Amino acid sequence: MRTASAAKVPSARFWAAVLAAVPIALAVIMNSTDLARPDLVLVVGLALFGLPFAVNSSLHSYLILAYAGSEKAAEDVGFYYAANAAGRLLGITLSGVLYQVGGIAGCLIGSAVMLLLCCLITFLIPHSAAATSAQQAPT
């Protein structure tokens, strides 16, 4: 693993936390009783969600390629896209169920929980060349 990819792991953690903060903030704001335009707040909030989402997505793509190495990059990228598609399907289905059960607040809270889980998972990413080499060493 190159040093540049090791430097991106803390960035991935930071942007995952920022991404999780947006639906948490939206859920709190949307539950306010004196909100004059909840429709506008939701649209603007979700538009703001797009910035950390784009940065997070690009960091994940970068890390997949950086950790894959040249020998198995195509295989790892293919697995990443397959997992991404499965996650989108699961997310769409889960958001529909959450909306039926808890409305928009349920969707936002469910999104925040999944994003916090994503943030926690980033702590499992090795961020040193020694850790990556030890994981790839044949046993």
Side-chain angles (χ1 to χ4, degrees):
M1 177 177 70
R2 298 183 297 270
T3 308
S5 61
K8 299 298 180 202
V9 173
S11 293
R13 290 177 184 147
F14 170 78
W15 284 103
V18 169
L19 193 59
V22 175
I24 292 169
L26 268 174
V28 169
I29 293 168
M30 294 294 291
N31 281 331
S32 174
T33 56
D34 59 343
L35 195 58
R37 294 287 312 264
D39 55 338
L40 187 60
V41 170
L42 184 63
V43 169
V44 170
L46 291 177
L48 291 174
F49 181 82
L51 175 67
F53 182 85
V55 173
N56 201 30
S57 181
S58 65
L59 276 169
H60 286 182
S61 296
Y62 173 83
L63 288 170
I64 290 294
L65 291 174
Y67 280 90
S70 60
E71 304 86 39
K72 60 181 207 152
E75 179 182 327
D76 286 350
V77 170
F79 178 75
Y80 170 72
Y81 279 114
N84 196 337
R88 288 175 192 262
L89 176 62
L90 179 64
I92 289 169
T93 305
L94 183 58
S95 68
V97 170
L98 289 172
Y99 185 78
Q100 292 297 315
V101 173
I104 196 68
C107 285
L108 292 168
I109 292 167
S111 173
V113 167
M114 296 303 271
L115 289 165
L116 288 170
L117 181 62
C118 171
C119 187
L120 291 174
I121 289 171
T122 63
F123 286 94
L124 298 175
I125 300 172
H127 58 277
S128 69
T132 304
S133 299
Q135 284 184 343
Q136 294 177 351
T139 53

